[in-house]
Amino acid sequence: MHNTQSDSAHTDGTRGQVEAEIVDQHRFIEAWLRGDADRSAQAYGTFVARHTPDFVLNGPGGDATPRDGLMAGLEGAHGAMPGLVIEIRDVRVLEERDNLIVAVYEEHQTSPAERSTRRSTVVFVREGTGREGTGQQGAGLRWRHLHETWIESPHPA
């Protein structure tokens, strides 16, 4: 995708919405993996609904995982990483066209066992006036594609 606008050309509203979505998503993942998140089907279903049905995660190791496989694995990982802390840094909107938004950010993970850092590029689809079924207001962002690259691969903390 040709980048015709810099981050400064995007509205603060879009950047703020994108950053809030990225941080909120990772707060859920952090709490889920620590075992602190509500394990109900409704809570997990709300998380899954934040991804389009054709969502794919291209992980930093080169694997491409479709939404259903990723969500099944994550659902079974509740409480698998006690003490996990995820910090999101340097969120930037690269491109916004029609209903698509492309953004980049850094994800820093630390747990008692290891730490790592990855750079991620995400493609969001903006949908409707709200995220149906989630109770969230405003135009909803759904995760369509995520590509992660190691900055610092996992190593002992």
Side-chain angles (χ1 to χ4, degrees), residues 20 27 42 50 65 101 110-112 127 140:
R27 287 298 151 254
Q42 181 180 2
R50 293 169 87 162
T65 308
I101 300 170
T110 305
S111 74
E127 293 187 342

Side-chain angles (χ1 to χ4, degrees), residues 19-114:
E19 185 167 8
E21 175 63 25
I22 292 167
V23 169
D24 189 53
Q25 182 84 321
H26 286 85
R27 287 298 151 254
F28 178 85
I29 294 167
E30 176 187 71
W32 186 265
L33 292 173
R34 282 194 320 237
D36 298 338
D38 176 5
R39 196 168 188 178
S40 72
Q42 181 180 2
Y44 197 71
T46 298
F47 169 75
V48 172
R50 293 169 87 162
H51 303 80
T52 63
D54 53 353
F55 173 83
V56 174
L57 166 65
N58 287 297
D63 52 318
T65 308
R67 181 183 92 161
D68 292 345
L70 178 68
M71 296 306 166
L74 187 59
E75 186 174 20
H78 186 271
M81 297 181 75
L84 175 67
V85 175
I86 299 175
E87 182 182 352
I88 301 300
R89 298 181 191 167
D90 301 325
V91 175
R92 292 181 293 123
V93 173
L94 297 180
E95 185 70 40
E96 180 179 3
R97 290 201 188 178
D98 301 322
N99 68 335
L100 295 177
I101 300 170
V102 179
V104 295
Y105 61 94
E106 287 184 10
E107 178 183 338
H108 299 255
Q109 292 190 13
T110 305
S111 74
E114 66 183 28

